[in-house]
């Protein structure tokens, strides 16, 4: 639930935990993949890889109640101390917000893209406290934290204390968070908005700061990928890539340039994996090609590109790409299996095409009547041609007779 702070100078906490940190534990070490790699694993650091998400609301859809008339806002009196009724944030009853202590007015609400700091306490329905953070810092709208907090954060006024009751869908979902948050658990969040400031200027970040910021976004994308939230994973990888690709007024060292490229390749590979999960083949192909522009022998990019082409029925183009990946790592069983499957599909496709061409040309399939073909004599084949030639000759004679009679 906690997230990394987006300020380059610190004040950050870890991204939402799944029980053992932000990086998946199943990733093999080193740049090369081991023979058990299933290619669903995401790109990770050297020391460390379906559901329909169409109902997840975009953050822009969160409604903002209209500001009260100025005379009411200035003259709150005792009425301001009365507890506010529950606000149904999304209109579905799954996410509700209630003001406990009023803030400084709607003009003080943070904007999407700003870095905010909140005091947070999260509890289960039975009152068990599962997390407390006196100063949680995150970028609003970047999905750095639970969706419930990211969505409702746009409705908090400076200094406001609020209660947020959220369905599991906007918290830790069907997987929960081991060991303290069970699957499909609703959460109650007590939140106080402490600070809101503009995000750091990417052009002024040092190489180290830019790398750290991009890596935090990438790690958040990996978390969403593990949760099968591929839409949100793509969002996080896109943000990381925008950070890496932003212009800079600061000179980077060669090592920093190399590390930024490494993070970019990891984000693109993970982006392709997420796009494949959603059947976004053209987008996944573009991501793979961008990786191969920088690293032509990147095994994961080659494998995923071959898989994308295969999904599009382009077996002839996919097979040599998978062969290139297999040449780089001959012992990889996953590539072997995928390549064998594609070769068989390509052979079947060629047989279907051959049969189709035979029918188009009026030649029956050899498999359709093998006995009949064997019994035919060589001189019996051109009867159609002989009959046609005879008909043409008779037609010519008849035409000559008609012409002679007219004369």
């Amino acid at each position: 639930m906690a997230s990394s702070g987006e300020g380059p100078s610190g004040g950050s906490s870890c991204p939402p935990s799944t029980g053992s940190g932000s990086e998946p534990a199943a990733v093999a070490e080193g740049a090369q993949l081991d023979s058990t790699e299933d290619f669903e694993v995401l790109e990770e650091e050297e020391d460390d890889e379906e559901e329909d998400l169409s109902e997840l609301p975009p953050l822009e859809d969160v409604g903002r109640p209209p500001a009260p008339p100025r005379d009411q806002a200035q003259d709150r009196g005792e009425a301001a101390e009365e507890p506010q009724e529950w606000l149904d944030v999304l209109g579905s009853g799954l996410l509700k917000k209630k003001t406990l202590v009023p803030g400084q007015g709607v003009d003080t609400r943070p904007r999407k893209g700003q870095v905010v700091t909140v005091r947070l306490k999260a509890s289960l329905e039975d009152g068990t406290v599962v997390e407390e953070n006196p100063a949680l810092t995150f970028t609003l709208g970047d999905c750095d934290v639970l969706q419930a907090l990211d969505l409702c954060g746009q409705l908090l006024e400076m200094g406001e204390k609020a209660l947020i009751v959220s369905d599991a869908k906007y918290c830790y979902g069907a997987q929960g968070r081991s060991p303290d948050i069970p699957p499909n658990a609703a959460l109650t969040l007590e939140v106080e908005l402490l600070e809101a400031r503009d995000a750091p200027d990417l052009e002024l970040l040092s190489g180290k700061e830019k790398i750290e910021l991009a890596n935090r976004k990438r790690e958040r994308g990996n978390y969403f990928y593990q949760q099968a939230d591929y839409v949100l994973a793509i969002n996080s990888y896109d943000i990381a890539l925008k950070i890496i690709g932003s212009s800079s007024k600061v000179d980077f060292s060669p090592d920093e340039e190399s590390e930024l490229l490494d993070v970019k390749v990891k984000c693109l590979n993970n982006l392709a994996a997420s796009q494949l999960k959603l059947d976004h083949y053209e987008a996944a192909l573009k991501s793979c090609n961008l990786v191969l522009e920088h690293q032509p022998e990147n095994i994961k990019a080659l494998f995923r590109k071959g898989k994308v082409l295969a999904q599009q029925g382009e077996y002839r183009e996919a097979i040599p790409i998978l062969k290139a990946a297999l040449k780089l790592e001959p012992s990889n069983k996953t590539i072997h299996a995928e390549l064998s499957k594609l070769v068989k599909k390509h052979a079947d496709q060629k047989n279907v095409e051959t049969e189709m061409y035979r029918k188009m040309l009026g030649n029956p399939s050899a498999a359709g009547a093998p006995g009949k073909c064997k019994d035919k004599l060589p001189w019996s084949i051109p009867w159609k041609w002989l009959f046609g030639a005879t008909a043409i000759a008779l037609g010519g004679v008849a035409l000559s007779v008609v012409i002679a009679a007219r004369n």
Side-chain angles (χ1 to χ4, degrees):
M1 184 179 311
S3 170
S4 57
E6 300 311 324
S9 58
S12 63
S13 52
C14 297
S17 171
T18 57
S20 60
S22 59
E23 294 289 351
V27 180
E29 295 185 359
Q32 292 297 318
L33 304 173
D34 61 36
S35 60
T36 60
E37 171 72 67
D38 64 359
F39 289 91
E40 293 302 328
V41 179
L42 298 183
E43 292 279 4
E44 302 296 345
E45 297 294 342
E46 298 263 336
D47 56 352
D48 311 20
E49 168 147 301
E50 318 250 313
E51 65 182 318
D52 182 9
L53 303 178
S54 59
E55 295 182 359
L56 291 177
L59 299 184
E60 291 81 2
D61 288 345
V62 177
R64 290 176 176 262
R70 183 161 298 275
D71 55 345
Q72 295 182 21
Q74 293 175 348
D75 186 20
R76 299 189 178 203
E78 296 181 359
E81 301 300 326
E82 296 179 2
Q84 177 186 324
E85 295 298 324
W86 285 100
L87 171 66
D88 190 348
V89 176
L90 300 174
S92 62
L94 301 180
L95 183 62
K96 297 180 179 179
K97 170 186 173 289
K98 180 178 182 180
T99 298
L100 301 178
V101 177
Q104 301 173 15
V106 293
D107 292 340
T108 64
R109 289 177 179 170
R111 302 183 306 277
K112 183 178 178 181
Q114 285 191 311
V115 177
V116 299
T117 301
V118 301
R119 181 179 291 113
L120 174 69
K121 182 169 81 170
S123 309
L124 300 175
E125 289 181 296
D126 62 4
T128 303
V129 177
V130 292
E131 185 162 348
E132 286 189 273
N133 194 323
L136 172 62
T137 301
F138 59 96
T139 300
L140 191 61
D142 276 11
C143 297
D144 291 339
V145 289
L146 296 180
Q147 267 199 295
L149 182 55
D150 212 8
L151 291 166
C152 293
Q154 303 177 55
L155 305 176
L156 293 173
E157 300 173 4
M158 189 60 60
E160 177 183 354
K161 293 183 180 180
L163 203 61
I164 299 170
V165 176
S166 174
D167 182 79
K169 179 177 182 180
Y170 304 108
C171 297
Y172 288 96
Q175 297 189 29
R177 187 186 72 181
S178 178
D180 52 352
I181 300 178
N184 298 308
L187 291 182
T188 299
L189 312 177
E190 295 180 34
V191 186
E192 179 182 1
L193 180 59
L194 303 177
E195 182 186 11
R197 64 182 187 276
D198 291 337
D201 188 344
L202 296 179
E203 291 187 340
L204 300 180
L205 292 181
S206 67
K208 182 180 179 181
E209 290 169 336
K210 183 172 281 193
I211 292 167
E212 290 176 351
L213 182 56
N215 263 326
R216 286 201 294 270
K217 301 299 183 182
R218 179 182 63 83
E219 290 164 5
R220 184 61 177 165
N222 292 355
Y223 164 78
F224 283 127
Y225 188 95
Q226 288 180 312
Q227 300 294 315
D229 288 351
Y230 305 118
V231 171
L232 297 183
I234 288 173
N235 177 72
S236 294
Y237 296 137
D238 278 337
I239 293 173
L241 289 169
K242 288 177 182 176
I243 293 170
I244 296 170
S246 62
S247 59
S248 179
K249 297 178 179 178
V250 181
D251 293 330
F252 299 155
S253 69
D255 287 343
E256 290 172 336
E257 292 281 5
S258 177
E259 194 169 352
L260 275 171
L261 177 59
D262 183 56
V263 177
K264 179 180 180 179
V265 167
K266 288 178 180 178
C267 287
L268 286 169
N269 254 334
N270 296 354
L271 182 61
S274 302
Q275 291 163 336
L276 262 173
K277 288 292 188 180
L278 297 175
D279 297 336
H280 295 170
Y281 298 130
E282 290 300 328
L285 187 61
K286 181 179 179 181
S287 298
C288 292
N289 286 333
L290 287 173
V291 173
L292 296 173
E293 285 179 12
H294 298 294
Q295 297 179 358
E297 295 187 347
N298 187 289
I299 298 176
K300 287 185 178 180
L302 287 170
F303 178 84
R304 288 180 180 135
K305 181 176 181 177
K307 199 167 183 178
V308 169
L309 292 171
Q311 291 288 347
Q312 295 177 319
E314 304 291 344
Y315 303 131
R316 184 176 299 176
E317 290 78 8
I319 289 173
I321 293 174
L322 289 180
K323 285 183 177 179
L326 188 61
K327 185 177 180 181
L328 293 170
E329 192 167 315
S331 62
N332 193 292
K333 295 180 181 179
T334 302
I335 304 177
H336 269 291
E338 188 70 20
L339 185 56
S340 299
K341 182 172 65 175
L342 286 190
V343 169
K344 183 179 183 304
K345 285 184 177 180
H346 185 43
D348 293 343
Q349 184 186 58
K350 289 174 67 176
N351 290 336
V352 170
E353 290 176 352
T354 301
E355 184 65 22
M356 180 182 67
Y357 293 146
R358 282 176 177 167
K359 290 180 179 179
M360 289 173 61
L361 296 173
N363 296 326
S365 172
K372 188 175 180 180
C373 291
K374 289 180 181 179
D375 294 337
K376 283 186 177 181
L377 295 175
W379 53 266
S380 65
I381 296 175
W383 273 110
K384 291 181 179 180
W385 297 101
L386 182 60
F387 178 79
T390 303
I392 292 172
L394 291 174
V397 171
L399 181 61
S400 298
V401 172
V402 171
I403 294 173
R406 287 183 176 180
N407 292 335

